[in-house]
Amino acid sequence: MLRKSGPLKSQADGEIIENLDIDASGDHAVVITHDGVTIRNCRIRHSGGNGIHAEGGSALVLQDLDIDHVGAPEKGAGDDFNRNNINLYGCPGAVLSRIRARRGSSNIYIQASPETRLSQLELYDARGPFPRGQNVQFDNSHGSVLEDFSAENGPTSWTEDNISVYRSDRCTVRRGLVSYNNSPTGFAVMLEGSFDGLVEDVDAVQQGNGAFAAVTQGEVGSGGCRFHRCRTRDTYNSMRDGRDAPKSNSLSIYTLISEGASKHIIKDCVYYNLANPRNLIWKRDAIQPGSSFRLQNFEPHSPVRLQLPWEVT
């Protein structure tokens, strides 16, 4: 059974926070400022701040959590971009697993936190507003990993890039399902200003502006990224949910490299039922010759469905 709790803050290094039903209507629901803190087996409802806000703590462990931004409007963009379900800043080596999160400005925002590892995530309904709107974003968090996840949005969402790797080198995104994007400029998986990233075994469905991208960002370059066994299908090329039509005319893969950088690799990737099947890859001179992106029907990966400890009957 979960014990009722209001908002709380960490008190010491190595603290364990567990078995709580946390409700916060004002500021952040949980604030972490110590090293080695574990939060596990908790349900968190937040409306006036982030669900979990961790700053300056290393080796954080988040496990078996259900987090909901209950202050989100019925549909569309939220009124503040600081309402993330999980917000980490300066927290190297964090491990996040078995987490369900919904309706956050972004579900999970990882900033200046290298070597973070995320797995077994069930994510829904990112709400923005800009610059948020991601299900997961790595921001200046080199060497991080996202794996075994689903990111499901819909007509109530206000998305940007679903999965964003921003100025974060050597990151991996693998074994995932990314569903629905109503942003006129957003991609399912975007590696932006990042080098040597790997995206593999990820399915992108119901995308408009694009499925997969590896591009420069301002003065920060891009190169050497790999897309292996990535798939996209059922795209659109018109207005959706009151937002403008895709700016790219429904492009599938977008690639740019900086001067002197290694070209990107596209290997064993497929597409099916595209709104614009003539707009597959741009720019081709940013990818290695012999890349593979072909027409083939496929059944998308199944979404993650967690059963958290207190939900077991």
Side-chain angles (χ1 to χ4, degrees), residues 187-192 199 210-215 225 227 252-255:
F187 276 74
V189 182
M190 166 65 80
L191 311 183
E192 187 174 11
V199 183
F212 302 101
V215 299
C225 295
F227 296 89
S252 288
I253 299 178
Y254 178 27
T255 56

Side-chain angles (χ1 to χ4, degrees), residues 62-85:
L62 306 180
Q63 181 180 353
D64 287 310
L65 304 175
D66 182 285
I67 310 174
D68 190 0
H69 174 214
V70 295
E74 183 178 348
K75 64 179 181 179
D79 58 4
D80 193 304
F81 60 78
N82 293 305
R83 301 289 184 268
N84 302 314
N85 296 128

Side-chain angles (χ1 to χ4, degrees), residues 24-239:
S25 59
D27 204 348
H28 310 313
V30 183
V31 175
I32 305 299
T33 56
H34 293 84
D35 295 334
V37 172
T38 295
I39 305 175
R40 66 190 181 201
N41 198 29
C42 291
R43 181 167 51 209
I44 299 171
R45 302 293 180 262
H46 63 106
S47 58
N50 298 318
I52 294 175
H53 180 86
E55 189 165 348
S58 64
L60 175 68
V61 176
L62 306 180
Q63 181 180 353
D64 287 310
L65 304 175
D66 182 285
I67 310 174
D68 190 0
H69 174 214
V70 295
E74 183 178 348
K75 64 179 181 179
D79 58 4
D80 193 304
F81 60 78
N82 293 305
R83 301 289 184 268
N84 302 314
N85 296 128
I86 296 174
N87 188 85
L88 306 189
Y89 180 83
C91 298
V95 177
L96 288 69
S97 64
R98 292 182 51 79
I99 294 171
R100 181 190 302 133
R102 60 176 69 82
R103 296 192 290 183
S105 300
S106 290
N107 295 133
I108 301 177
Y109 182 36
I110 309 294
Q111 186 177 13
S113 301
E115 307 293 335
T116 298
R117 191 173 192 102
L118 288 71
S119 64
Q120 286 294 303
L121 305 181
E122 182 182 349
L123 307 175
Y124 299 97
D125 200 13
R127 291 300 191 90
F130 183 86
R132 302 279 70 77
Q134 302 82 20
N135 294 109
V136 175
Q137 182 170 44
F138 294 126
D139 180 347
N140 285 280
S141 297
H142 305 299
S144 294
V145 176
L146 167 64
E147 60 188 358
D148 302 315
F149 68 95
S150 57
E152 299 172 83
N153 302 282
T156 60
S157 306
W158 194 270
T159 57
E160 297 301 332
D161 297 318
N162 297 115
I163 307 299
S164 168
V165 179
Y166 179 82
R167 297 191 176 192
S168 299
D169 300 337
R170 305 179 308 281
C171 289
T172 297
V173 179
R174 62 189 171 206
R175 298 192 299 273
L177 170 68
V178 182
S179 177
Y180 204 97
N181 192 317
N182 55 22
S183 168
T185 57
F187 276 74
V189 182
M190 166 65 80
L191 311 183
E192 187 174 11
S194 303
F195 287 86
D196 303 320
L198 171 64
V199 183
E200 65 179 3
D201 298 311
V202 175
D203 289 348
V205 302
Q206 296 194 59
Q207 302 292 314
N209 191 63
F212 302 101
V215 299
T216 57
Q217 197 282 318
E219 74 281 7
V220 181
S222 173
C225 295
R226 295 164 290 156
F227 296 89
H228 293 172
R229 299 183 300 278
C230 293
R231 308 184 296 183
T232 182
R233 64 172 296 154
D234 304 334
T235 62
Y236 72 96
N237 194 24
S238 59
M239 292 182 64

Side-chain angles (χ1 to χ4, degrees), residues 16-27:
I16 298 176
I17 299 169
E18 62 182 346
N19 303 326
L20 297 177
D21 189 350
I22 302 168
D23 196 322
S25 59
D27 204 348

Side-chain angles (χ1 to χ4, degrees), residues 227-231 266-270 290-294:
F227 296 89
H228 293 172
R229 299 183 300 278
C230 293
R231 308 184 296 183
I266 299 171
K267 181 179 180 182
D268 296 331
C269 296
V270 303
S291 291
S292 172
F293 189 41
R294 68 186 188 278

